Amino acid sequence: MKLSLQLKGIILGIVAGLAAIGIAFAAAEMFQPKPAAASGATEALVIPPAGTPANQGYKLFMLNCAHCHGADARGDEGPDLHGVTKSDQRIVTIIQNGIKGEMPKFSAKLNDTETRALVAFIRTLKEE
Amino acid sequence: MHGGATHFPIALLMVSVIFDHAGFWWRNEVRRREFCAVGFYSLFIAAVAGPVAVVSGIALSKGTLIGSGMLALHHYFVWPAFGLLIGLAVWRLVVRERASRRASGCYLALASLTLGVMMTAGYWGGEMIIGK
């Protein structure tokens, strides 16, 4: 059976596309931190009760902050947020204005209520 | 590095789709071939630049394939866009200018979809680091 040139192209294209994704996924393993070097924190976050500001803060955290601070808030690119000793106002200022060269500002993205909800959530993260 | 590398495939794919559309609809045969050639080479370089952007992104996220929040939204669009980009480039390499009119139309539709998916991935990537 002789395949047409276009069909050959389609088959090779599909194979190459899937192979590219597969290679990228395999390459990702090389960049993943080794278990021994990880923070050791494997516990999931305790989700605050629904309807509370902390719960709203949790949702905002997962959407806006988790990719830097880690889905467990134990730190990744950004620091661990458990047992933060800074004042509420200081945390609000950091969220709104960011830290130059380290953290983006969220003043145009999160309003005051949302920022306070995030602070309420951060306060639920106790150091073990 | 990811912030710099990632813009090459996005911009080149955009150029490729624009010129391929021009090549598809233009009436003058010579112009049509020239536009398609620009589309082809732009796509080819985009496909070469794509893995650099992907690997730098993987390194930046420490090997996270999906993640959570905006990173997950970014990844939901990045992986299909990357696969489609490589797949389209390979199809184009194999077929070159011997594609039928119908196949070229299907290719254009898929390339436009890939561009949309890639730009959506770029939007979520930007949202992550810049905010609004």
Side-chain angles (χ1 to χ4, degrees):
Chain A
M1 189 179 74
K2 196 175 178 194
L3 294 173
S4 74
L5 184 70
Q6 294 187 21
L7 192 57
K8 271 186 202 168
I10 290 169
I11 293 168
L12 281 173
I14 291 170
V15 170
L18 292 173
I21 295 173
I23 291 168
F25 275 44
E29 289 212 1
M30 290 192 300
F31 293 96
Q32 284 166 357
K34 301 280 180 287
S39 61
T42 54
E43 85 276 22
L45 282 177
V46 177
I47 303 170
T52 61
N55 183 269
Q56 187 197 358
Y58 166 76
K59 290 172 184 167
L60 290 166
F61 172 84
M62 291 309 286
L63 185 63
N64 295 286
C65 320
H67 54 265
C68 283
H69 290 280
D72 56 1
R74 280 288 176 190
D76 189 359
E77 196 78 16
D80 185 348
L81 296 177
H82 286 74
V84 170
T85 52
K86 290 179 170 60
S87 69
D88 286 5
Q89 189 50 49
R90 180 74 187 127
I91 298 171
V92 166
T93 306
I94 291 172
I95 293 169
Q96 289 183 334
N97 300 334
I99 303 170
K100 197 174 180 185
E102 290 182 34
M103 177 177 148
K105 60 180 177 183
F106 288 86
S107 55
K109 200 170 204 176
L110 302 173
N111 62 33
D112 198 48
T113 310
E114 290 169 328
T115 308
R116 295 278 170 196
L118 261 177
V119 174
F121 168 67
I122 291 168
R123 290 295 178 218
T124 68
L125 303 171
K126 307 285 185 207
E127 196 64 84
E128 295 298 313
Chain B
M1 186 186 173
H2 184 60
T6 199
H7 288 93
F8 286 102
I10 297 172
L12 286 163
L13 180 63
M14 199 182 292
V15 169
S16 173
V17 169
I18 290 168
F19 275 90
D20 278 337
H21 267 285
F24 188 77
W25 300 108
W26 212 269
R27 289 190 178 177
N28 182 309
E29 185 59 30
V30 177
R31 271 291 135 74
R32 179 185 288 223
R33 282 175 179 274
E34 287 171 349
F35 285 146
C36 285
V38 175
F40 170 75
Y41 287 111
S42 303
L43 179 76
F44 184 71
I45 302 169
V48 172
V52 179
V54 165
V55 170
S56 61
I58 289 171
L60 185 66
S61 66
K62 296 190 179 72
T64 306
L65 292 172
I66 298 295
S68 52
M70 284 189 206
L71 183 62
L73 289 169
H74 179 60
H75 282 153
Y76 290 149
F77 290 95
V78 157
W79 296 121
F82 179 55
L84 282 165
L85 173 66
I86 300 297
L88 288 172
V90 168
W91 181 82
R92 212 53 202 274
L93 264 175
V94 172
V95 176
R96 293 290 183 120
E97 66 273 9
R98 287 165 290 181
S100 66
R101 178 95 179 146
R102 188 172 166 216
S104 296
C106 292
Y107 164 82
L108 262 184
L110 201 54
S112 303
L113 174 74
T114 304
L115 178 62
V117 174
M118 192 176 275
M119 288 176 78
T120 309
Y123 168 78
W124 287 116
E127 282 289 288
M128 252 189 297
I129 55 159
I130 298 170
K132 254 189 175 175

